[in-house]
Amino acid sequence: MRIAIPKGRLQERALSVFADAGYDIPSESDLKTRKLVFDRGGIEWIFVKDGDVPVYVEHGAADAGIAGLDQILEHECTAYQPVEFPFGHCRMMLIAAPGAPPLTKVATKYPRITRQFLGLRAVHAEIVPLSGSVELAAVLNLTSHVVDLVETGETVRIHKLEMQEVVAEISPRLIVGKNFYRTEPKMVRELIARIEEAAKVSS
């Protein structure tokens, strides 16, 4: 079984859930190396960018993984989502510069989700894709609005931006590839049962 773990803010909690579920995870000293693939107890652990987890699972390069709903939606990932985790919750928000004009231009790391959100509201706006520091686009008047994740809201407050509307409630999920689910049902059932139990403990 190959499991994709997201590097970044979810990595530590993702690994701790698998450890609590009794899986032999890579050690801290392993993680300090530059290796991205580790074999432990019959499981191959791969460490990839958070946005790549749904892609690896969707295309069968990984059997399962942990991904935020933001990345699942953005990549239109059709993998099963049997477990939602109690940690890492945040909101995807439409955020505006103070006194912003009507929405005509919006910056985001999530162009597909933003396009769908605007389409449901019959709003026609230019979408400017960015890969980091999205709020800065509103601060520096690159765009009047941004769509981004908000966890504590501190960045929004510091720059005196205005949260206008919730685009989506975001949480991390265990995702399981459809082909793996079909070909290894017993292994999948055990994985889901163990992760569900571990998720309850960590809540």
Side-chain angles (χ1 to χ4, degrees), residues 4 13 21 71 73-74 84 96 132 134 152 184 197 200:
R13 296 300 298 271
Q71 302 296 347
L73 294 175
E74 183 63 23
E84 179 180 1
V134 173
T152 65
E184 299 287 351
E197 193 57 39
K200 282 180 200 164

Side-chain angles (χ1 to χ4, degrees), residues 77-123:
C77 178
T78 63
Y80 296 116
Q81 303 171 36
V83 184
E84 179 180 1
F85 294 106
F87 57 82
H89 283 236
C90 56
R91 287 176 160 186
M92 188 178 293
M93 300 287 301
L94 176 66
I95 302 165
L103 201 166
T104 56
K105 199 175 183 185
V106 56
T108 186
K109 294 176 190 171
Y110 306 100
R112 181 173 280 137
I113 296 172
T114 302
R115 198 171 294 114
Q116 290 171 344
F117 171 77
L118 297 176
L120 288 171
R121 284 152 185 76
V123 173

Side-chain angles (χ1 to χ4, degrees), residues 139-155:
V139 174
L140 300 180
N141 298 316
L142 172 63
T143 61
S144 58
H145 293 73
V146 301
V147 168
D148 201 15
L149 298 185
V150 175
E151 205 162 356
T152 65
E154 190 60 24
T155 306

